[in-house]
Amino acid sequence: MTAHRFTPRGPLTGRIRVPGDKSISHRSLMFGALAVGTTTIRGLLEGEDVLATGRALEQMGAKVRKADDGTYSVDGVGVGTLLQPEGALDMGNSGTSTRLLMGLVASHGITAAFTGDASLSKRPMGRVIDPLSDMGASFTPSPGGTLPLITEGMQPAVPMTYRLPVASAQVKSAVLLAGLNTPGTTTVIEPVPTRDHTERMLRAFGVEVTVEEIDGEKHISVTGPVDMSPCDIEVPGDPSSAAFFAVAASIVPGSDLLIENVGLNPTRDGIFRVLKQMGADIDYLDPREVGGEPVADLQVRHAPLTGIEVDPDIAPSMIDEFPVLFVAAAMAKGATITSGLEELRVKESDRLSAMAAALKISGAKVQEREDGLLITGSSGEPLPGGGTVTTHLDHRIAMSMAVAGLASETGVEIDSTEPIATSFPNFTALIDEASA
């Protein structure tokens, strides 16, 4: 592991463009593989997680190619005709790839073995195994319901109506993807809204997706088997990646940064709404729609932040952004209270305890609770900085504490920058560019 110290710089200025949205990148490859014909994708995130998805789809018959101009093309095999992979599907660190591809395989007559790195192999897969088993697929996981695991698909699978026990776009998507090749109507009932990239993109590929609101809950249905048509996709900038720079520009004095082409799907933009509640100076320039997704350029200027009590109902729209929000809270005036965040304990790491420990090492005042953190901010004063932060091989811990280092007195050292490559390969280069 390569330790790296992120030290204070000048203000963040100029224009940057963050990598393509990871959720949309995964789905564009998967749906391209299920369409008959050639799908073209511009702006695909070339992180390890997305490339793992591409490799797995090639093992099941799709052809994924990259042109000299960076555009990707996917020649699909069609719904119902995925091929039996010869070897195990190595998912690396990607929970999204694993859970969604388990859904795809579940309604095809093939068997696939899923493997992953040490971090992914600790993450629970029971939440997708349960509903997909009810549709007819069978699973042989490792003890504790983790990877490595074997999925045996059932063709034809059995349609079902499934109420999500926890707010999870991955579980919703896995069931809907299984429904694409299942005769009859498969419905997911969503008590709490989660990111809706799957529904939006399925429509772009010609699938009829019905969404009804019944007694305050969303009922999302697909009727299979479906035929999917190829399409051209422009992947917007990842709001999760933009969030690191929005927080950095907010807390580093003198900053005035334009972040271009950021996806602002209402199920994903919670971090920007919460930052604005704290007093952040964020303007949305040139709002537009690209491929069914709302997009804008974000102008972010340094501003004094004030601690707030974060509404737990907003958590699903920013669940991955809480680590960097905790950094903003550590620099705010007064206390920031978060709750309802039990989900953060089963991410790539236990992000509540990992961020509490990391911020304390850097000189912040943090109290860890069962379902959130209570952070008393520095009123804009730089954090002292200090000893080496343990990232637990979690890319969001690593990047969040890198941002903390930019607004510290002596810098923050993280124990490894390697996990950052999974989602944001040019993160450090963009920091250098914006603070040059």
Side-chain angles (χ1 to χ4, degrees), residues 28-29 32-33 37-41 62-65 72-76 230:
S28 62
L29 289 172
T38 302
T39 291
T40 59
I41 308 165
K63 289 187 172 61
V64 181
R65 296 187 302 274
Y72 278 77
S73 62
V74 183
D75 293 335

Side-chain angles (χ1 to χ4, degrees), residues 199-384:
E199 299 95 300
R200 287 174 184 257
M201 192 177 288
L202 282 175
R203 290 190 181 113
F205 278 85
V207 177
E208 190 174 323
V209 181
T210 61
V211 181
E212 297 177 288
E213 185 121 344
I214 302 173
D215 297 331
E217 298 180 325
K218 266 191 185 172
H219 290 234
I220 304 140
S221 303
V222 294
T223 300
V226 303
D227 291 320
M228 296 177 67
S229 307
C231 65
D232 294 339
I233 295 172
E234 172 119 16
V235 180
D238 192 322
S240 296
S241 297
F244 296 106
F245 285 89
V247 169
S250 296
I251 62 177
V252 175
S255 295
D256 184 349
L257 186 66
L258 186 73
I259 312 169
E260 298 177 340
N261 192 50
V262 179
L264 291 174
N265 183 301
T267 65
R268 296 283 304 284
D269 69 346
I271 180 66
F272 306 117
R273 285 183 271 149
V274 169
L275 286 172
K276 283 184 153 189
Q277 288 172 15
M278 296 174 74
D281 183 351
I282 303 174
D283 288 326
Y284 297 159
L285 307 182
D286 188 21
R288 53 205 184 270
E289 191 162 290
V290 178
E293 295 278 349
V295 173
D297 301 328
L298 302 191
Q299 184 92 42
V300 188
R301 298 178 181 88
H302 171 255
L305 303 179
T306 303
I308 61 168
E309 184 163 350
V310 180
D311 183 348
D313 288 345
I314 207 168
S317 68
M318 58 174 291
I319 197 67
D320 286 330
E321 288 72 66
F322 274 99
V324 79
L325 177 74
F326 296 150
V327 174
M331 298 287 293
K333 180 181 181 181
T336 297
I337 302 168
T338 56
S339 58
L341 303 182
E342 298 92 343
E343 173 77 2
L344 289 187
R345 295 205 182 273
V346 292
K347 288 289 188 177
E348 282 86 334
S349 66
D350 178 341
R351 287 183 173 159
L352 289 179
S353 65
M355 283 303 297
L359 285 168
K360 284 176 184 172
I361 286 173
S362 306
K365 294 178 184 163
V366 185
Q367 182 183 332
E368 182 179 349
R369 297 175 170 180
E370 191 59 39
D371 65 344
L373 300 183
L374 167 60
I375 300 173
T376 304
S378 68
S379 298
E381 292 300 312
L383 296 175

